[in-house]
Amino acid sequence: MTRSKDLDAVAPDDPVINPSTPTPPPPSVDSNSADSTDPLRQKAYDLMGHAKHSLSALLVNPKVFNFEEKDHDEEILVVLRPHWFTNVRWLLITFFMLFAPLLIRVVPLLSFFPARYQFVMIIFWYILTFAFAFESFLSWYFDVFIITNERVIDIDFENLLNKKFSEAGLDKIQDTSTRVAGLAQTMFNFGDVLIQTAAEIPEITFEKVPNPEKIIKIIQELTEDKH
Amino acid sequence: MLSNATTLILFITKIFAIVGAVLYFIFGLIVVKQVGMMTRSVNDKFNGILTVFSYLHLAFCLFLILMTIVVL
């Protein structure tokens, strides 16, 4: 039975083989396939290494990370948060708050009140402790510094419901410097990265970030590519 | 006389506790709003867990109001 050559007459599931236009090979699923940001991603890996877990203060080429102001074709290269050591203070406070009700047995501050009043007060104290720890964690977790293939960004939540967003294009960066001060910062290798820009915001500061000298290096590499 | 004074003090304490619990519930609502705003701004792996914690905290706040009314 001869088949009709008119494509309009071909049934949808009939194979149509045209030897003059060979079927293109399937696209490669290699994760290292070339695109314009792959050299930048590789530079980021070479300089920064790989993050060990999602709560790390340093995320390189994070697979699950996004921000509201991101452009469609913008690639996130590095995400930074303040060094974990900055959390020690509120962790210690939370620890002592957890055991504070035990002091009531030693120092009977609430002995005037009946047992049910003391019970409710202790419940309230632990809810307050949870809120303090939760707010402190949120303050650290959402204080992010982002380096993309186009710009550097500082997102900061200064207090409840107050968000600050600062950005500078890589081509506007004029000067970068670091500041490592004090025993803790020297021991654990974290500090401030100061970025002087020709943009509306003259200076962006990445505060208490890990490996500040490597951050400077990656920014320098990216600005060289832009210029 | 002493028992009347004690009863009065406990009653005032209960009133303050209820008012404090209601104000704390409002704070819990603000925390939920805050986490919502933060997770919209920065989308990361733990956003779901943090949202759950914020609602859990709000539930604790509501529980606290009930405790102050019923237990005290």
Side-chain angles (χ1 to χ4, degrees), chain A residues 99-111 118 122 126:
Chain A
F99 291 99
L102 295 176
L103 291 175
I104 294 172
R105 295 180 187 275
V106 178
V107 180
L109 292 167
L110 303 177
S111 59
Q118 294 183 31
I122 289 171
Y126 280 119

mmCIF file of all heavy atoms in Angstrom, chain A residues 99-111 118 122 126:
data_model
loop_
_atom_site.group_PDB
_atom_site.id
_atom_site.type_symbol
_atom_site.label_atom_id
_atom_site.label_comp_id
_atom_site.label_asym_id
_atom_site.label_seq_id
_atom_site.Cartn_x
_atom_site.Cartn_y
_atom_site.Cartn_z
ATOM 1 N N PHE A 99 17.187 26.775 80.840
ATOM 2 C CA PHE A 99 17.393 26.248 82.194
ATOM 3 C C PHE A 99 17.049 27.262 83.279
ATOM 4 O O PHE A 99 17.165 26.956 84.465
ATOM 5 C CB PHE A 99 18.840 25.771 82.346
ATOM 6 C CG PHE A 99 19.149 24.548 81.535
ATOM 7 C CD1 PHE A 99 19.781 24.665 80.308
ATOM 8 C CD2 PHE A 99 18.774 23.304 81.970
ATOM 9 C CE1 PHE A 99 20.049 23.545 79.551
ATOM 10 C CE2 PHE A 99 19.036 22.170 81.218
ATOM 11 C CZ PHE A 99 19.674 22.289 80.000
ATOM 12 N N ALA A 100 16.633 28.461 82.882
ATOM 13 C CA ALA A 100 16.303 29.482 83.879
ATOM 14 C C ALA A 100 15.180 29.059 84.834
ATOM 15 O O ALA A 100 15.270 29.351 86.030
ATOM 16 C CB ALA A 100 15.942 30.789 83.171
ATOM 17 N N PRO A 101 14.096 28.390 84.354
ATOM 18 C CA PRO A 101 13.037 27.992 85.308
ATOM 19 C C PRO A 101 13.536 27.104 86.442
ATOM 20 O O PRO A 101 12.918 27.063 87.509
ATOM 21 C CB PRO A 101 12.035 27.260 84.420
ATOM 22 C CG PRO A 101 12.198 27.877 83.088
ATOM 23 C CD PRO A 101 13.666 28.148 82.985
ATOM 24 N N LEU A 102 14.649 26.397 86.235
ATOM 25 C CA LEU A 102 15.176 25.558 87.317
ATOM 26 C C LEU A 102 15.670 26.408 88.478
ATOM 27 O O LEU A 102 15.732 25.939 89.618
ATOM 28 C CB LEU A 102 16.311 24.691 86.789
ATOM 29 C CG LEU A 102 15.927 23.640 85.740
ATOM 30 C CD1 LEU A 102 17.179 22.921 85.239
ATOM 31 C CD2 LEU A 102 14.933 22.648 86.317
ATOM 32 N N LEU A 103 16.029 27.665 88.172
ATOM 33 C CA LEU A 103 16.492 28.560 89.242
ATOM 34 C C LEU A 103 15.377 28.880 90.234
ATOM 35 O O LEU A 103 15.647 29.272 91.369
ATOM 36 C CB LEU A 103 17.025 29.868 88.633
ATOM 37 C CG LEU A 103 18.323 29.773 87.839
ATOM 38 C CD1 LEU A 103 18.643 31.116 87.207
ATOM 39 C CD2 LEU A 103 19.471 29.339 88.745
ATOM 40 N N ILE A 104 14.130 28.724 89.763
ATOM 41 C CA ILE A 104 13.002 29.030 90.654
ATOM 42 C C ILE A 104 13.031 28.108 91.876
ATOM 43 O O ILE A 104 12.629 28.493 92.975
ATOM 44 C CB ILE A 104 11.662 28.899 89.884
ATOM 45 C CG1 ILE A 104 11.585 29.968 88.792
ATOM 46 C CG2 ILE A 104 10.476 29.056 90.819
ATOM 47 C CD1 ILE A 104 10.426 29.819 87.874
ATOM 48 N N ARG A 105 13.529 26.893 91.669
ATOM 49 C CA ARG A 105 13.603 25.960 92.801
ATOM 50 C C ARG A 105 14.660 26.421 93.816
ATOM 51 O O ARG A 105 14.544 26.177 95.006
ATOM 52 C CB ARG A 105 13.962 24.563 92.301
ATOM 53 C CG ARG A 105 12.891 23.956 91.421
ATOM 54 C CD ARG A 105 13.294 22.568 90.936
ATOM 55 N NE ARG A 105 12.333 22.067 89.972
ATOM 56 C CZ ARG A 105 11.196 21.437 90.298
ATOM 57 N NH1 ARG A 105 10.887 21.216 91.558
ATOM 58 N NH2 ARG A 105 10.376 21.030 89.365
ATOM 59 N N VAL A 106 15.702 27.075 93.294
ATOM 60 C CA VAL A 106 16.786 27.532 94.161
ATOM 61 C C VAL A 106 16.433 28.886 94.774
ATOM 62 O O VAL A 106 16.580 29.100 95.976
ATOM 63 C CB VAL A 106 18.114 27.637 93.362
ATOM 64 C CG1 VAL A 106 19.221 28.156 94.233
ATOM 65 C CG2 VAL A 106 18.459 26.289 92.742
ATOM 66 N N VAL A 107 15.970 29.792 93.918
ATOM 67 C CA VAL A 107 15.578 31.127 94.389
ATOM 68 C C VAL A 107 14.060 31.236 94.205
ATOM 69 O O VAL A 107 13.594 31.463 93.089
ATOM 70 C CB VAL A 107 16.292 32.233 93.583
ATOM 71 C CG1 VAL A 107 15.884 33.603 94.086
ATOM 72 C CG2 VAL A 107 17.798 32.052 93.640
ATOM 73 N N PRO A 108 13.279 31.062 95.277
ATOM 74 C CA PRO A 108 11.815 30.996 95.130
ATOM 75 C C PRO A 108 11.187 32.365 94.854
ATOM 76 O O PRO A 108 10.605 32.993 95.728
ATOM 77 C CB PRO A 108 11.355 30.425 96.483
ATOM 78 C CG PRO A 108 12.414 30.807 97.445
ATOM 79 C CD PRO A 108 13.696 30.857 96.687
ATOM 80 N N LEU A 109 11.321 32.807 93.570
ATOM 81 C CA LEU A 109 10.781 34.120 93.220
ATOM 82 C C LEU A 109 9.255 34.094 93.105
ATOM 83 O O LEU A 109 8.595 35.091 93.357
ATOM 84 C CB LEU A 109 11.361 34.573 91.869
ATOM 85 C CG LEU A 109 12.855 34.887 91.842
ATOM 86 C CD1 LEU A 109 13.347 35.014 90.411
ATOM 87 C CD2 LEU A 109 13.151 36.166 92.603
ATOM 88 N N LEU A 110 8.729 32.927 92.659
ATOM 89 C CA LEU A 110 7.295 32.856 92.383
ATOM 90 C C LEU A 110 6.543 32.115 93.476
ATOM 91 O O LEU A 110 5.408 31.675 93.255
ATOM 92 C CB LEU A 110 7.062 32.168 91.033
ATOM 93 C CG LEU A 110 7.758 32.795 89.815
ATOM 94 C CD1 LEU A 110 7.492 31.959 88.565
ATOM 95 C CD2 LEU A 110 7.287 34.225 89.596
ATOM 96 N N SER A 111 7.150 31.950 94.639
ATOM 97 C CA SER A 111 6.527 31.128 95.680
ATOM 98 C C SER A 111 5.197 31.715 96.161
ATOM 99 O O SER A 111 4.367 31.006 96.712
ATOM 100 C CB SER A 111 7.486 30.969 96.856
ATOM 101 O OG SER A 111 7.825 32.240 97.371
ATOM 102 N N GLN A 118 2.289 29.447 88.503
ATOM 103 C CA GLN A 118 3.691 29.189 88.179
ATOM 104 C C GLN A 118 3.797 28.367 86.898
ATOM 105 O O GLN A 118 4.672 28.615 86.054
ATOM 106 C CB GLN A 118 4.377 28.450 89.335
ATOM 107 C CG GLN A 118 4.479 29.284 90.598
ATOM 108 C CD GLN A 118 5.229 28.563 91.701
ATOM 109 O OE1 GLN A 118 6.131 27.767 91.438
ATOM 110 N NE2 GLN A 118 4.874 28.837 92.948
ATOM 111 N N ILE A 122 5.713 29.493 83.481
ATOM 112 C CA ILE A 122 6.807 28.718 82.884
ATOM 113 C C ILE A 122 6.501 28.422 81.413
ATOM 114 O O ILE A 122 7.388 28.496 80.550
ATOM 115 C CB ILE A 122 7.050 27.427 83.695
ATOM 116 C CG1 ILE A 122 7.690 27.798 85.043
ATOM 117 C CG2 ILE A 122 7.940 26.457 82.938
ATOM 118 C CD1 ILE A 122 7.772 26.655 86.020
ATOM 119 N N TYR A 126 8.852 29.574 78.162
ATOM 120 C CA TYR A 126 9.389 28.710 77.112
ATOM 121 C C TYR A 126 8.902 29.135 75.725
ATOM 122 O O TYR A 126 9.639 29.012 74.746
ATOM 123 C CB TYR A 126 9.048 27.245 77.382
ATOM 124 C CG TYR A 126 9.966 26.619 78.400
ATOM 125 C CD1 TYR A 126 9.489 26.102 79.599
ATOM 126 C CD2 TYR A 126 11.333 26.562 78.172
ATOM 127 C CE1 TYR A 126 10.348 25.548 80.518
ATOM 128 C CE2 TYR A 126 12.195 26.016 79.095
ATOM 129 C CZ TYR A 126 11.697 25.517 80.270
ATOM 130 O OH TYR A 126 12.550 24.984 81.202
#
